[in-house]
């Protein structure tokens, strides 16, 4: 409860700041303080110290998993604001509002990690999405940004409609909104009803839309490309993995309960293969690093879907690992990307000569996304593959997945090639020393998690 | 402790070297570090105390993986090869200049550390980690300092090996779930409960990675280009040591984990290897480029090793162990000469060379010795290994051995042809002003020649060293 209330409250505070404080650069510092506070209260709650005792009547339930995910999401946001806060300021006149919206998104994230009721799921998704629609269109004078925002909004509204429909059908099928209530075995609701399955399918489609899984991914490249780079970074990372965590919970409870009636694994296998196919193959042909990262985020979603496919301990731990690895690496990449004047592959040519620190850290982020050992990205992929093999069937799916992982190496390494092996004169915004230190720290975190995953997972147990 | 030091010293040395700016300091420092590694490796070879040779700490308890390193007969030979080759390479290329020397040598050491890790690790996940880690520095080395087509060629090499190793990862993971105690330890892997069909599938997934690395016939296309385009020092490291990772992994992991599957598939693999030998030898005959010739000759040699491994004969296996070391030594020697010629005369085509022996007698003598070792003449080191390997292959299938034997003749044809065209005959305009090789190249070659002759005349220590390794292995195979 701590994190939900604090993040919402801080969002309101940031709103008031916009007319109480006129100094533009102080918003960033206030946001950092807010995020630190948020992190502290969340860790406090993880250790059993809850400030607010509010009875949610079973609509929210706090698990170690969810709280730990909150820590990852809030920590990633903190790193994001520290690295790209200055670039957010360059964007326009409503800096405080941007931070406000980010806090509201975090509130949605915290609800999604702890919901126990389909209505809360809906609330969480909406609280998460609506600020994102606004952030996408925050570059008011840019047509592409406007187009992306409208597109995102329309498609998002459509998927929300599907979700509501699904929830209603599920209510009709089971007689409850609650996620894990014991099914009444009498009368109307005996066994698995047809309505529930249809409802779940609707929910699955709308969630697949939110996590940009194929064939519901078509909005992703345009929106990620059109949105200002600073917000793409946030959308593609924290918001996306939060939707995954919500999806995982839904699958864990409802899909296992109905697995006798429908073969969810087969459905997920199809979704995974199409996601990996579309994401990876299209990413290969991109000319702009930003658009490549948009497609790569689809491809990474394909790997994260393995957790929903296998629904075991490896999968849920792997999703945490994946969220950390993917968020950190992508935030780092975007932090550098928004500093570049030219975001095509050519724009990166020769970066290693002019900005060795940026190039080296970027290389580590890319290696992590590609899943090279010694980085967090490897272990994340490892857990996902292990989760599938642990189920004992569908081993061929793993073989296909690793072949696509090899394809992903192709486009990630194109950036490495541009930075290190080609010559050019890349133009960047002025780079400060503290930005470089931040990048180095981020790269160090990625490597530490990659070598000693226990540092991350000890949090889960103690 | 020795096992840990063997990896730690190159890692730390490499990381320091990355940040040294002064060129001469870097070279001196690198030579020093590589010599320390060599000394430690020698200690390792002569030590018999288990406590010194093994290192075992908890690493990822959540995954069932431990940081386990160990030196046994098999890894002793290969760590010795790795440790010898680096100082020799550094001496031989001492006068080469690189942009960013510190980065170059730093990456060389990281690559060496990765390879030593592959040879020493006794834990499958750790093995996979090092397997990949040896590749990354090699990728950067080739792509930054390589020849004209370096970027595409190295990328092909990288993608090829990466696909292979990912398939191997799937296989490792699968076996992990079939081990009794859910652990990556070598012994648990050896006793994994796989059904016959499972072990068939996993065998091939595992084998493709190794076949690409060695390389075996249909997977070899990355190799000649990469060797040609990589900077010579890296080519030496790749061909001398890195390809041995593939052969090594067959002995260490593949054969003991899948004894039945390797036996039932041996005919396919041996056929592929023998085709590769003949194919590579025939292409080598048609080459007009020293580097490409050596590259193809290397494919032929590795093919023989792979064939002998799957012949399942003790002698053949022992021959492979010896030959892995000797092939590394010989091929590094050949590259040194090829590099010396290219640096001095600016070409590596035989057709533009001739009569070099008159101008560079020392180089000629040393080169001829290395070449004779390459064709496995008696009294050179390679003879012992090849003899044992053919012996093993003959026991498996005389016809195969006969066909493979043709490649020996072909090897003599192309090697002697190369010597003749480069060193004998009349001098041409290009070689008219040639001079003899420099001091550092002579030193490096003399070290290698001494190794060649000592182990050619007196191979017993090598045989003793490999005996124990082979014995433990043979008991695993039904």
């Amino acid at each position: 409860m701590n994190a939900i209330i604090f993040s919402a409250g801080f969002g309101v505070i940031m709103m008031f700041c916009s007319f109480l404080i006129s100094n533009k650069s102080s918003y960033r510092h206030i946001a950092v303080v807010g995020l630190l506070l948020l992190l502290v209260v969340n860790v406090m709650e993880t250790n059993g110290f809850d400030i607010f005792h509010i009875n949610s009547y079973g609509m929210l339930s706090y698990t170690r998993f969810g709280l730990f995910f909150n820590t990852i999401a809030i920590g990633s946001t903190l790193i994001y604001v520290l690295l790209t806060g200055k670039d957010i300021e360059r964007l326009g006149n409503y800096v405080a509002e941007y931070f406000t919206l980010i806090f509201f998104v975090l509130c949605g994230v915290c609800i999604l990690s702890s919901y126990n009721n389909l209505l809360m799921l809906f609330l969480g998704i909406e609280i998460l999405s609506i600020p994102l629609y606004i952030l996408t269109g925050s570059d008011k004078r840019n047509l592409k940004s406007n187009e992306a925002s409208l597109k995102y909004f329309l498609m998002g509204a459509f998927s929300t409609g599907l979700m509501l429909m699904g929830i209603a059908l599920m209510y009709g099928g089971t007689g409850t909104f609650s996620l894990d209530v014991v099914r009444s075995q009498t009368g109307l609701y005996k066994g698995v009803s047809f309505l529930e399955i249809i409802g779940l399918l609707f929910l699955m489609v709308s969630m697949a839309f939110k996590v940009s899984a194929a064939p519901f991914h078509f909005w992703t490249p345009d929106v990620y490309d059109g949105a200002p780079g600073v917000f793409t970074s946030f959308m593609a990372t924290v918001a996306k993995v939060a939707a995954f965590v919500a999806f995982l919970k839904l699958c864990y409870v409802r899909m296992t309960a109905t697995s006798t009636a429908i073969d969810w694994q087969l459905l997920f296998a199809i979704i995974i293969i199409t996601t990996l196919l579309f994401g990876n193959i299209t990413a290969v042909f991109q000319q702009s690093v930003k658009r490549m990262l948009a497609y790569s985020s689809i491809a990474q979603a394909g790997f994260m879907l393995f957790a929903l496919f296998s629904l075991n301990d490896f999968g849920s731990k792997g999703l945490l690992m994946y969220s950390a690895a993917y968020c950190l690496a992508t935030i780092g990449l975007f932090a550098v990307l928004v500093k570049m004047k030219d975001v095509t592959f050519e724009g990166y040519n020769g970066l290693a000569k002019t900005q060795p620190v940026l190039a080296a850290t970027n290389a580590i982020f890319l290696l992590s996304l590609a899943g090279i050992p010694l980085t967090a990205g490897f272990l994340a992929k490892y857990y996902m593959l292990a989760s599938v093999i642990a189920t004992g069937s569908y081993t061929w799916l793993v073989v296909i997945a690793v072949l696509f992982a090899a394809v992903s190496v192709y486009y990630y390494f194109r950036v490495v090639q541009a930075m290190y092996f080609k010559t050019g004169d890349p133009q960047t915004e002025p780079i400060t020393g503290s930005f470089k230190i931040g990048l180095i720290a981020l790269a160090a975190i990625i490597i530490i998690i990659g070598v000693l995953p226990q540092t991350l997972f000890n949090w889960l147990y103690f | 402790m020795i096992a840990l030091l063997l990896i730690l010293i190159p890692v730390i040395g490499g990381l320091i070297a990355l940040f040294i700016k002064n060129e001469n300091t870097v070279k001196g420092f690198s030579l020093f570090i590589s010599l320390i590694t060599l000394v430690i490796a020698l200690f390792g070879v002569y030590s018999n105390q288990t406590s010194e040779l093994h290192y075992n700490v908890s690493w990822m308890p959540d995954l069932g993986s431990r940081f386990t390193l160990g030196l046994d007969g098999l890894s002793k030979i290969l760590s010795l090869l790795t440790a010898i080759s680096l100082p020799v390479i550094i001496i031989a290329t001492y006068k080469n200049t690189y942009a960013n020397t510190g980065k170059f040598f730093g990456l060389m050491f990281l690559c060496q550390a990765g390879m030593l890790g592959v040879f020493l690790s006794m834990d499958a996940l750790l093995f996979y980690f090092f397997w990949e880690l040896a590749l990354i520095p090699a990728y950067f080395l080739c792509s930054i300092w390589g020849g004209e087509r370096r970027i595409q060629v190295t990328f092909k090499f990288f993608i090829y090996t990466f696909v292979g190793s990912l398939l191997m990862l799937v296989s490792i993971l699968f076996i992990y779930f079939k081990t009794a105690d859910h652990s990556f330890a070598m012994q648990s892997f050896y006793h994994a409960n796989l059904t016959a069909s499972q072990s068939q599938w996993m065998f091939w997934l595992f084998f493709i990675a190794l076949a690409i690395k060695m390389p075996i016939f249909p997977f070899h296309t990355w190799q000649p280009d990469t060797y040609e385009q990589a900077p010579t020092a890296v080519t030496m490291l790749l061909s001398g040591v890195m390809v041995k990772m593939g052969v090594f992994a067959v002995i260490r992991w593949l054969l003991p984990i899948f004894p039945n599957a390797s036996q039932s598939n041996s005919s396919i693999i041996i056929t592929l290897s023998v085709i590769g030998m003949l194919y590579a030898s025939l292409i080598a005959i048609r080459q007009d480029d020293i580097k490409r010739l050596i590259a193809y000759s290397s494919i032929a040699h590795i093919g023989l090793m792979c064939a002998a491994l799957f012949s399942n004969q003790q002698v053949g296996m022992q021959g492979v162990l010896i030959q892995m070391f000797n092939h590394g030594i010989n091929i590094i020697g050949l590259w040194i000469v090829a590099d010396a010629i290219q640096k001095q005369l600016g070409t590596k085509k035989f057709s533009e060379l001739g009569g070099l022996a008159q101008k560079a007698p020392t180089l000629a003598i040393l080169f001829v010795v290395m070449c004779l070792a390459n064709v496995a003449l008696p009294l050179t080191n390679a003879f012992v290994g090849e003899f044992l390997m053919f012996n093993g292959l003959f026991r498996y299938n005389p016809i195969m051995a006969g066909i493979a034997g043709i490649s020996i003749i072909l090897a003599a044809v192309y090697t002697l042809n190369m010597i003749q065209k480069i060193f004998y005959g009349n001098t041409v305009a290009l070689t008219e002003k040639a001079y003899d090789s420099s001091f550092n190249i002579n030193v490096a070659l003399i070290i290698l020649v001494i190794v060649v002759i000592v182990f050619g005349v007196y191979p017993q220590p090598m045989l003793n060293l490999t005996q124990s390794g082979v014995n433990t292995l043979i008991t695993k195979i039904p």
Side-chain angles (χ1 to χ4, degrees), chain B residues 146-165:
Chain B
E148 230 169 84
R149 295 188 296 126
R150 60 186 193 277
I151 297 180
Q152 302 92 308
V153 164
T154 314
F155 202 39
K156 181 180 173 188
F157 159 60
F158 184 80
I159 292 277
Y160 241 99
T161 37
F162 192 69
V163 170
S165 40

Side-chain angles (χ1 to χ4, degrees), chain B residues 131-150:
Chain B
W131 180 274
E132 291 280 0
L133 289 187
L135 183 62
I136 303 288
Y139 171 71
F140 279 92
L141 282 168
C142 297
S143 302
I144 297 179
W145 288 277
E148 230 169 84
R149 295 188 296 126
R150 60 186 193 277

Side-chain angles (χ1 to χ4, degrees), chain B residues 131-348:
Chain B
W131 180 274
E132 291 280 0
L133 289 187
L135 183 62
I136 303 288
Y139 171 71
F140 279 92
L141 282 168
C142 297
S143 302
I144 297 179
W145 288 277
E148 230 169 84
R149 295 188 296 126
R150 60 186 193 277
I151 297 180
Q152 302 92 308
V153 164
T154 314
F155 202 39
K156 181 180 173 188
F157 159 60
F158 184 80
I159 292 277
Y160 241 99
T161 37
F162 192 69
V163 170
S165 40
L166 281 173
L167 294 177
M168 179 168 83
L169 177 68
V170 175
S171 176
I172 289 177
L173 258 173
F174 192 89
I175 302 165
Y176 161 78
F177 281 104
K178 300 291 172 191
T179 51
D181 52 349
H182 279 235
S183 112
F184 282 101
M186 194 169 72
Q187 288 308 325
S188 320
F189 260 54
Y190 285 0
H191 299 105
N193 302 313
L194 294 163
T195 64
S197 73
Q198 282 170 349
S199 70
Q200 281 288 341
W201 281 102
M202 293 307 136
F203 172 83
W204 282 107
L205 287 180
F206 210 112
F207 179 72
I208 286 175
L210 313 184
I212 291 172
K213 203 80 168 188
M214 285 197 263
I216 294 301
F217 164 57
F219 305 108
H220 66 279
T221 53
W222 61 267
Q223 195 236 38
D225 286 340
T226 309
Y227 284 7
E228 194 189 355
Q229 293 297 321
T232 317
V234 182
T235 311
M236 293 176 197
L237 203 62
L238 290 183
S239 61
V241 189
M242 196 181 262
V243 292
K244 308 299 181 301
M245 276 165 47
V247 184
F248 164 85
V250 172
I251 306 176
R252 169 75 90 212
W253 300 100
L254 192 70
L255 293 179
I257 298 176
F258 312 103
N260 295 318
S262 10
Q263 205 154 27
S264 57
N265 292 314
S266 63
S267 56
I268 305 175
I269 291 169
I270 289 179
T271 315
L272 283 179
S273 314
V274 171
I275 293 175
M277 285 168 73
L278 291 178
Y279 173 77
S281 306
L282 287 171
I283 295 181
I285 289 180
R286 300 287 306 155
Q287 292 300 318
D288 187 33
D289 181 310
I290 310 175
K291 285 194 161 181
R292 289 191 83 85
L293 184 140
I294 301 173
Y296 280 108
S297 129
S298 168
I299 297 180
H301 281 110
I302 297 285
L304 178 59
M305 287 184 214
C306 183
L309 274 181
F310 282 91
S311 68
N312 265 331
Q313 302 292 330
Q314 188 171 358
V315 275
M317 206 88 70
Q318 203 167 0
V320 174
L321 288 185
I322 296 174
Q323 186 66 0
M324 274 201 277
F325 182 82
N326 293 330
H327 177 257
I329 297 292
N330 297 346
I331 199 162
I332 290 176
L334 294 178
W335 288 120
I336 293 176
V337 178
D339 187 45
I341 292 173
Q342 195 189 357
K343 279 265 143 48
Q344 200 192 107
L345 302 172
T347 180
K348 40 192 182 128

Side-chain angles (χ1 to χ4, degrees), chain B residues 42-72:
Chain B
L42 284 171
F43 266 121
V45 168
Y46 285 105
S47 162
N48 282 322
Q49 282 170 312
T50 336
S51 57
E52 280 181 12
L53 295 179
H54 288 266
Y55 185 78
N56 188 351
V57 288
S58 170
W59 180 38
M60 295 199 267
D62 213 35
L63 299 178
S65 177
R66 294 179 68 80
F67 192 88
T68 321
L69 301 173
L71 266 170
D72 57 2

Side-chain angles (χ1 to χ4, degrees), chain A residues 13-177:
Chain A
I13 292 174
M14 286 302 297
M15 235 191 285
F16 278 102
C17 285
S18 70
F19 58 87
L20 292 179
I21 300 170
S22 55
N23 183 2
K24 228 168 128 183
S25 63
S26 55
Y27 301 140
R28 177 161 52 99
H29 301 297
I30 297 171
V32 168
V33 171
L35 284 167
L36 274 175
L37 194 68
L38 208 54
L39 200 61
V40 169
V41 292
N42 190 62
V43 170
M44 269 163 55
E45 190 176 354
T46 319
N47 294 320
F49 189 79
D50 203 348
I51 300 173
F52 304 99
H53 295 280
I54 297 174
N55 188 358
S56 67
Y57 297 99
M59 290 177 92
L60 293 170
S61 72
Y62 304 95
T63 55
R64 219 163 165 105
F65 179 85
L67 289 171
F68 182 51
F69 173 76
N70 285 352
T71 314
I72 292 178
I74 297 168
S76 302
T77 316
L78 179 63
I79 292 171
Y80 159 75
V81 172
L82 285 174
L83 282 178
T84 44
K86 271 208 181 116
D87 301 289
I88 297 178
E89 278 168 19
R90 282 196 283 122
L91 206 64
N93 292 322
Y94 305 101
V95 184
E97 279 80 357
Y98 299 149
F99 288 113
T100 306
L101 293 171
I102 289 174
F103 274 106
F104 284 148
V105 171
L106 273 184
C107 179
V109 169
C110 296
I111 293 177
L112 284 181
S113 66
S114 59
Y115 77 96
N116 196 27
N117 188 301
L118 292 173
L119 289 177
M120 288 317 269
L121 168 70
F122 179 72
L123 267 183
I125 287 282
E126 284 305 285
I127 294 177
L128 179 88
S129 303
I130 292 171
L132 289 182
Y133 303 146
I134 306 169
L135 287 178
T136 309
S138 56
D139 196 354
K140 278 208 302 196
R141 313 239 172 269
N142 186 339
L143 267 183
K144 267 180 95 180
S145 172
N146 281 316
E147 182 203 330
S149 177
L150 190 64
K151 202 178 244 176
Y152 192 20
F153 174 67
L154 289 178
M155 300 285 272
F158 185 64
S159 91
T160 307
L162 278 183
M163 173 177 273
L164 268 183
M165 181 89 174
I167 290 175
L169 285 171
M170 280 176 71
Y171 183 79
T174 57
T176 174
F177 282 126

Side-chain angles (χ1 to χ4, degrees), chain A residues 297-444:
Chain A
S297 91
I298 301 178
Q300 301 283 349
F303 263 95
M304 284 190 252
L305 281 169
F306 276 127
L308 315 179
F309 168 85
S310 46
L311 295 180
N312 52 24
D313 198 31
F314 277 104
S316 38
K317 261 189 197 166
L319 191 61
L320 284 181
M321 183 61 121
Y322 220 113
S323 343
Y326 169 73
C327 287
L328 296 179
T330 312
I331 285 172
L333 279 173
F334 269 103
V336 177
L337 186 120
V338 295
K339 302 265 186 206
M340 305 291 294
K341 293 230 166 101
D342 178 6
V343 294
T344 59
F345 283 96
E346 281 74 36
Y348 277 77
N349 282 357
L351 191 67
K353 284 253 162 49
T354 53
Q355 296 285 356
V357 177
L358 261 60
T361 48
N362 241 1
I364 291 173
F365 302 144
L366 289 163
L367 290 181
S368 177
L369 283 182
I372 307 283
L374 222 63
T375 59
F378 168 74
L379 281 174
K381 283 213 167 63
Y382 172 88
Y383 268 98
M384 289 301 172
L385 300 181
S387 77
V388 181
I389 294 181
T391 61
S393 51
Y394 287 96
T395 309
W396 52 270
L397 194 59
V398 181
V399 177
I400 292 178
V402 297
L403 291 179
F404 280 122
V407 174
S408 77
V409 168
Y410 176 82
Y411 51 82
Y412 291 131
F413 272 58
R414 271 179 72 193
V415 186
V416 176
Q417 286 177 345
M419 291 189 303
Y420 276 91
F421 314 144
K422 296 191 174 151
T423 49
D425 186 25
Q427 299 295 317
T428 56
E429 303 285 333
I431 308 276
T432 59
S434 54
F435 180 70
K436 286 182 186 167
I437 293 171
L439 281 181
I440 292 172
L442 188 54

